[in-house]
Amino acid sequence: MKTLSYILASGILFISFSCKKDNKYDSSVKSSLSVEFDNVVGSSDLQLNTGTYTNALSQSFKITKLKYYISNIKLTKTDGSVYTVPQAESYFLMDESNSASQKANLSVPEGEYKTISFIVGVDSLRNTMDVAARTGVLDVSAAAADMYWSWNSGYIFFKIEGTSPVITGMGGIFQYHVGGFGGYSSATLNNLRTITLDLSARGTAKVKTGSQPNIHLFVDVLKALNGSTNIDFVTTPMAHSPTAGQPVCNNYINMFSHDHTEN
Amino acid sequence: MIFFFAGIYACKKEVLNSIFSGFQKPSNFPEPAYHFTTNSVTKEGFELGRKLFYDPILSADNTISCGSCHIQTSAFTHHGHIVSHGIADRMGTRNAPPIMNLAWNTSFMWDGGIFDLDLQSVAPITNHLEMDETMSNVINKLQASSQYPSLFKKAFGSDQITTAAFLKALSQFMLMCISSNSKYDSIIRKQGTVSFTADEQEGYTLFAQKCGSCHKEPLFTDNSFRNNGLTPSMVDDQGRFIVTQLNEDKYKFKVPSLRNLAYTAPYMHDGRFLTLDAVLDHYSSKVELSPTLDPLLQQENTAGISLTTDERTKIKAFLNTLNDRGFLFDKQLSQP
């Protein structure tokens, strides 16, 4: 009798445990998750137009514009399953001058997520799609107006502009525009890069109805200028083509880091 | 009485409607390259596109329309202009290509930087040297106008003007700019009793031997990019290389069609040759050797195409059969 009660009790415990687990996440239900792209310069917050910074070559500079596309977001749960944000909902234009733009607001199945990956830029498929599929942040008459190369059909993936006293010509401005999706008819330079960040060390994202988890990323734009190529404002104040932009592209793959998750 | 008039009016309207036959592939042309599945040409879309094409509202200071540099009576080129001038008389670096048979083009611009006709119009509208306008401002101006919202509604079902509807309307007009009624076409299609003269016929044979592999019939281009041995000018325009950044593409430009040459001088990407004779002089004796010179233009270490005076005369006679005067005066394509 005693044994039976133990068995019953453990059975009840087991049932209640599985109930609890079922209650915790229901993967058939979608809930909100935001991903914040917090632009910084080294250890300072990025201040457009006013902040003064220094690159690896000891050249002082200010940033007047910073915009980049984030697309094709994928999230991996702690159980290893992967959720791909539907393509049509997966394009975001991060604009430093518009703080609302710096959060990608997603709706994803409930669960605990340990990894996020995304493309910096606009994938080649969308880059070649019919103009009717280019709406929202991809509309060349609106948000994408200054993020599109009309002469060499394709989106600009990443754009940083500013001024430096070391640049003597052209009003002391620098402009680095990175694009190039690999070409439509002949294979050309591809500056599309996928970034994958592990969230487990600094906090997984626990997506559940009623909570508003936010994956807080730091985007250190100093790393777009410093890295495998230290961008020299004097010799290279401009990049307006896939080739010219490639050194910046190869640098900025290292500018994203996970700071923390607000669950 | 009122009914009587209404009846006549309706009939008249139907007759007008029936004149518009949409996009029709000439029987001697191949299947078009354009994606009509996502933008089929309708009467309303075409007429809206035509109105937009001729409307200077597309430029920053409302002074220049597409039709300013693509003039119908010059087969939609800027005849007489080596390069075109945009607003405030700013000069470009390339010769305005014709708006002609674009449904068969696989890329646009001299360097092929644009791969979809629907995306083409963005380039001249936003180019500082051309119309220098922003796309958002164009859409705003159109939306605020008294006429356009209802025209967009008729053509695309909504009076909210979208980028896609705007660009597709322009495409619809450009797709209808088909030149396929030259003497050559009539002969190929065996229409009537027209035939080549002896010179034209011999010119046709010579053309096929010496020019036809790049200027492929019946569109007289194979849509490829080639370096035809022009000495780079001060501008040092590297053509296709600017787009692909592949060394093998240096100084390559799109092979232009040879239709309507009589109306489209000057020639070449930078309009450097004012006459057909100058063009033939180039091919026969002035082709410059360079690493990317087209292999078809270098036979056994000699650059260029050998041409006797007699051959030149005959080739020119044949080229003249590619002129389509009806295209220049087709009322359907004219400013309404």
Side-chain angles (χ1 to χ4, degrees), chain A residues 3-259:
Chain A
T3 324
L4 187 64
S5 10
Y6 278 130
I7 293 170
L8 271 174
S10 56
I12 290 161
L13 271 177
F14 179 74
I15 289 165
S16 58
F17 178 70
S18 30
C19 283
K20 205 180 166 194
K21 201 179 175 189
D22 279 351
N23 277 344
K24 198 172 182 194
Y25 297 118
D26 181 352
S27 60
S28 67
V29 173
K30 282 190 175 177
S31 184
S32 59
L33 168 68
S34 56
V35 186
E36 185 174 352
F37 291 77
D38 189 351
N39 300 316
V40 299
V41 187
S43 53
S44 314
D45 186 34
L46 170 51
Q47 301 287 339
L48 277 187
N49 305 311
T50 53
T52 303
Y53 312 102
T54 308
N55 69 7
L57 302 171
S58 304
Q59 297 167 333
S60 150
F61 66 98
K62 287 181 176 174
I63 298 171
T64 54
K65 183 179 267 192
L66 175 71
K67 289 172 113 175
Y68 51 90
Y69 279 106
I70 297 295
S71 70
N72 292 269
I73 299 173
K74 282 184 189 175
L75 293 149
T76 308
K77 282 186 188 172
T78 47
D79 67 5
S81 62
V82 178
Y83 177 72
T84 304
V85 177
Q87 249 252 331
E89 305 162 19
S90 197
Y91 294 89
F92 300 92
L93 179 56
M94 303 297 160
D95 179 354
E96 178 60 20
S97 71
N98 172 11
S99 57
S101 76
Q102 293 161 40
K103 253 188 192 181
N105 293 308
L106 310 174
S107 178
V108 304
E110 285 191 0
E112 185 175 357
Y113 292 91
K114 63 170 184 180
T115 313
I116 183 171
S117 81
F118 50 84
I119 287 176
V120 184
V122 176
D123 56 284
S124 60
L125 190 66
R126 186 66 57 160
N127 248 305
T128 54
M129 262 188 198
D130 190 87
V131 67
R134 299 159 185 256
T135 54
V137 296
L138 299 173
D139 187 339
V140 297
S141 302
D146 67 342
M147 291 298 280
Y148 180 76
W149 281 326
S150 65
W151 55 276
N152 188 1
S153 306
Y155 289 93
I156 296 170
F157 304 156
F158 174 89
K159 176 182 263 195
I160 186 168
E161 297 181 0
T163 58
S164 173
V166 300
I167 303 167
T168 48
M170 295 185 295
I173 60 167
F174 65 83
Q175 299 179 328
Y176 304 119
H177 299 179
V178 180
F181 63 87
Y184 180 75
S185 51
S186 50
T188 57
L189 200 67
N190 190 329
N191 282 328
L192 285 166
R193 295 291 183 273
T194 301
I195 307 296
T196 303
L197 298 170
D198 182 8
L199 310 176
S200 44
R202 290 173 163 261
T204 54
K206 291 161 184 154
V207 178
K208 191 167 161 39
T209 306
S211 63
Q212 300 279 333
N214 178 46
I215 300 172
H216 194 128
L217 306 180
F218 273 180
V219 183
D220 181 1
V221 297
L222 195 57
K223 289 187 174 160
L225 302 172
N226 300 338
S228 55
T229 305
N230 288 324
I231 306 299
D232 186 337
F233 296 133
V234 178
T235 57
T236 317
M238 295 283 154
H240 288 282
S241 70
T243 311
Q246 195 176 37
V248 175
C249 174
N250 288 338
N251 284 346
Y252 71 53
I253 52 174
N254 297 314
M255 75 179 172
F256 300 92
S257 64
H258 179 223
D259 190 69

Side-chain angles (χ1 to χ4, degrees), chain B residues 53-257:
Chain B
F53 186 88
Y54 287 109
D55 196 333
I57 197 171
L58 302 195
S59 61
D61 58 2
N62 303 315
T63 59
I64 283 180
S65 72
C66 307
S68 302
C69 296
H70 299 284
I71 302 164
Q72 187 185 6
T73 49
S74 303
F76 292 100
T77 63
H78 208 177
H79 179 70
H81 288 74
I82 291 171
V83 294
S84 292
H85 42 86
I87 71 163
D89 277 333
R90 294 173 194 153
M91 303 295 278
T93 55
R94 289 180 184 165
N95 183 250
I99 308 295
M100 171 180 78
N101 300 338
L102 295 188
W104 289 270
N105 273 29
T106 50
S107 67
F108 305 87
M109 298 298 211
W110 281 103
D111 56 21
I114 297 166
F115 50 73
D116 185 342
L117 181 61
D118 294 351
L119 300 172
Q120 166 62 39
S121 304
V122 183
I125 290 170
T126 57
N127 188 314
H128 173 70
L129 301 173
E130 297 177 52
M131 297 162 107
D132 197 23
E133 181 54 289
T134 65
M135 285 290 292
S136 53
N137 211 30
V138 169
I139 302 284
N140 290 343
K141 284 194 282 186
L142 295 173
Q143 193 72 61
S145 83
S146 57
Q147 298 170 39
Y148 279 109
S150 63
L151 295 173
F152 273 89
K153 189 171 172 64
K154 274 185 205 161
F156 296 100
S158 171
D159 55 12
Q160 282 302 305
I161 300 171
T162 64
T163 308
F166 168 68
L167 294 173
K168 288 188 177 201
L170 280 166
S171 289
Q172 289 196 27
F173 172 71
M174 292 190 281
L175 289 163
M176 291 295 288
C177 295
I178 301 168
S179 177
S180 64
N181 293 314
S182 65
K183 181 177 179 182
Y184 159 86
D185 293 299
S186 302
I187 293 165
I188 295 293
R189 292 197 295 255
K190 302 186 168 61
Q191 288 169 327
T193 54
V194 63
S195 58
F196 287 127
T197 64
D199 269 10
E200 288 165 358
Q201 184 65 55
E202 282 178 56
Y204 188 13
T205 307
L206 288 164
F207 174 86
Q209 290 165 0
K210 294 174 185 276
C211 322
S213 41
C214 304
H215 296 287
K216 205 174 153 211
E217 294 176 65
L219 294 154
F220 293 89
T221 171
D222 64 353
N223 284 319
S224 67
F225 302 91
R226 295 170 190 264
N227 175 349
N228 67 344
L230 295 171
T231 308
S233 73
M234 292 279 284
V235 177
D236 198 32
D237 188 340
Q238 301 195 59
R240 181 75 176 151
F241 174 78
I242 298 169
V243 168
T244 67
Q245 302 187 319
L246 301 171
N247 283 330
E248 71 231 42
D249 285 337
K250 275 190 178 170
Y251 302 108
K252 288 186 182 175
F253 295 88
K254 191 190 299 152
V255 175
S257 173

Side-chain angles (χ1 to χ4, degrees), chain B residues 295-306:
Chain B
L296 292 170
L297 288 172
Q298 35 189 328
Q299 315 286 334
E300 294 163 16
N301 295 328
T302 318
I305 303 169
S306 67

